[in-house]
């Protein structure tokens, strides 16, 4: 115990931590063997397993003063589950590698685990295993698995000229929320004048809401290509254009810019459409569909696939803005 | 480019790095979709997938002045592949999350990727995907997947009184090699007097050699419990004893202590059997088998399972030594 009478992960030790966290993580029906052995075991009824991984580093992907442990857990899970969903698969389980300073409060770790659990619960997945070690920074490695349920995977490479481009989920919200935090304007005019429109944007940065059900839905509707928007719409659609050998032309009028984004943009002197087109981390899904398809209202048509190359926004010169984790 | 005319990962940028690494990673027959999409896809013909993850942190799990990038890649892959094998499964693929300082030389990263590739190649697995981001420390998150080929998983919980305890692979070599490095005696009497026995121990620390084929073999021989020795034999067998609700009694005379360990122990004033019993990171396999089983010579019988609890070394008081990543 330390002098502050807060139990830390250093007090618990590696095996104490593992036992404590495992107790917070119920195992769903897809899990055949949960935490506690050399490896976990998850059902893969399709005979193929989808797998994706992300590494999140303190002060680069999250800040401990801007996000709670619970939010960080939700977000770290969400960005991986979203990648699974963007293949048209159903997430089944995640494993988490954690690096934590020894002085981390055990309650902080509980909240982080609860965040992982609750985000996984949204899609019927479970935290099936992990690894924990000491590190001066908080480091979170998440790997998510998914099952395709007999569907073909929807890659980035199948878009064809004549397809329509559509998105499901939010765009630009997380970027606006981050900009508000960076400008110290998360509360609007000040802490005594909270603005719910702005608070919602900051919440979007802290805790993305990927449109999970839309992934398998898109696959079933015959989506020819799909990805989740993690680095910015223009940059991510650029990957679809490159992988598919096509061009993409977007109609800027197709994007409804919500009032909250307009408010935040006025406050910060920013262009809200720039957030929509280049902001990442909302984990919207962007997909291409055969021209004749009838899309449910959760999907918004934003453009079309052409014979060209790259991504063009009609009437706008764009620089393919987005996030590069070594250059930014 | 920087002034030293060395291309760094910062020069390449995230997408340049990914393209460069992907070119070094051939995809094996178990891979249905390799790197470059939101997620990879790996065959899971058994209908169940085994999954395990480990997080390795610079200066905690490896030192850049003691291990080459190639060795670090080999070791990071090995410790995860070994966990898959310890379930009785065949590794199929790994994903790697990398945090790297921007000044890391691109050639260092090439060597790391080659290490991952070559270790995976030993077991027919591939590096199917990953994530790369900037970090002040080198951080490596590895997740390995495996297929059980119709076999039941071999957990830690199935040992029964009357079973024999056996190990395959090396014990204490990596611990002795680490002790030599820590004492600055890796070269023996000095750099002008290299001692191949000691060099072999240091190599064992840098690059473990898990007995990969013995995992599925043990499952087929009816092993009742199994794990890989990553934290030290006594501590790891303690997990088997706890999970199975049994005791384990080891016969210290059963351990052949190789001449190299004796030499290193004399040099450092250490007890070689202590390394054998408590040293981790060689990734030997320890398993329990029904009493009557005839074990191939690669397995050494070292004790038996009893009705008691905990692990006892006959004629020796032991403290269950091993490695706790928060306490050590």
């Amino acid at each position: 115990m330390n002098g502050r009478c807060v139990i830390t992960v250093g007090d618990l030790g590696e095996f104490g931590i593992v036992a404590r966290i495992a107790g917070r993580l119920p195992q769903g029906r897809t899990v055949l063997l949960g935490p506690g052995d050399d490896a976990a075991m998850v059902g893969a009824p399709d005979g193929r397993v989808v797998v994706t991984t992300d590494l999140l580093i303190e002060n680069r992907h999250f800040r401990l003063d801007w996000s709670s442990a619970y939010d960080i857990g939700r977000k770290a899970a969400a960005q991986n589950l979203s990648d699974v969903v963007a293949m048209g698969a159903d997430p089944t389980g995640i494993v988490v590698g954690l690096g934590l300073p020894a002085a981390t409060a055990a309650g902080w770790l509980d909240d982080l685990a609860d965040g992982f659990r609750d985000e996984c619960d949204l899609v019927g997945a479970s935290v099936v295993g992990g690894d924990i070690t000491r590190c001066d920074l908080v480091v979170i490695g998440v790997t998510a698995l998914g099952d395709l349920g007999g569907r073909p995977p929807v890659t980035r490479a199948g878009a064809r000229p004549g397809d329509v481009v559509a998105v499901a989920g939010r765009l630009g919200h997380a970027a606006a929320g981050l900009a508000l935090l960076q400008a110290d304007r998360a509360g609007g005019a000040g802490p005594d004048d909270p603005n719910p429109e702005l608070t919602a944007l900051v919440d979007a940065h802290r805790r993305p809401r990927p449109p999970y059900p839309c992934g398998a839905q898109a696959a079933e509707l015959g989506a020819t290509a799909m990805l989740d928007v993690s680095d910015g719409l223009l940059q991510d659609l650029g990957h679809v254009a490159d992988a598919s050998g096509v061009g993409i032309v977007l109609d800027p009028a197709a994007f409804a810019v919500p009032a909250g984004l307009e408010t935040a943009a006025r406050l910060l002197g920013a262009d809200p459409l720039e957030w929509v087109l280049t902001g990442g981390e909302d984990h919207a899904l962007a997909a291409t569909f055969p021209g004749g398809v009838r899309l449910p209202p959760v999907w918004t048509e934003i453009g079309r696939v052409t014979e060209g190359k790259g991504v063009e926004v009609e009437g706008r010169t764009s620089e393919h803005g987005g996030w590069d984790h070594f250059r930014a």
Side-chain angles (χ1 to χ4, degrees), chain A residues 10 17 74 77 79 118 132 183 206 248 275 297 321:
Chain A
I17 297 166
R74 292 287 297 258
Q79 70 183 66
D118 289 353
I132 192 150
R206 291 183 173 132
I248 287 175
W275 283 329

Side-chain angles (χ1 to χ4, degrees), chain A residues 54-56 95-99 116 129-133 139-143:
Chain A
D54 268 327
L55 190 64
L56 290 85
V95 290
V96 180
L98 275 184
F116 276 112
D131 179 41
I132 192 150
T133 191
V139 173
I140 306 175
V142 183
T143 302

Side-chain angles (χ1 to χ4, degrees), chain A residues 49-134:
Chain A
V49 63
V50 162
V51 56
T52 183
T53 197
D54 268 327
L55 190 64
L56 290 85
I57 313 278
E58 178 183 346
N59 293 335
R60 185 144 193 94
H61 298 92
F62 55 87
R63 276 176 54 161
L64 300 181
D65 54 342
W66 283 354
S67 295
S68 69
Y70 181 77
D71 286 342
I72 293 167
R74 292 287 297 258
K75 182 173 179 165
Q79 70 183 66
N80 283 277
L81 297 171
S82 174
D83 279 326
V84 167
V85 160
M87 302 302 290
D90 301 309
T92 50
I94 70 172
V95 290
V96 180
L98 275 184
L100 293 177
T104 304
W108 190 93
L109 182 58
D110 291 343
D111 292 344
L112 184 78
D114 289 352
F116 276 112
R117 178 198 63 209
D118 289 353
E119 193 71 21
C120 283
D121 202 43
L122 293 177
V123 293
S126 310
V127 183
V128 301
D131 179 41
I132 192 150
T133 191
R134 195 158 150 175

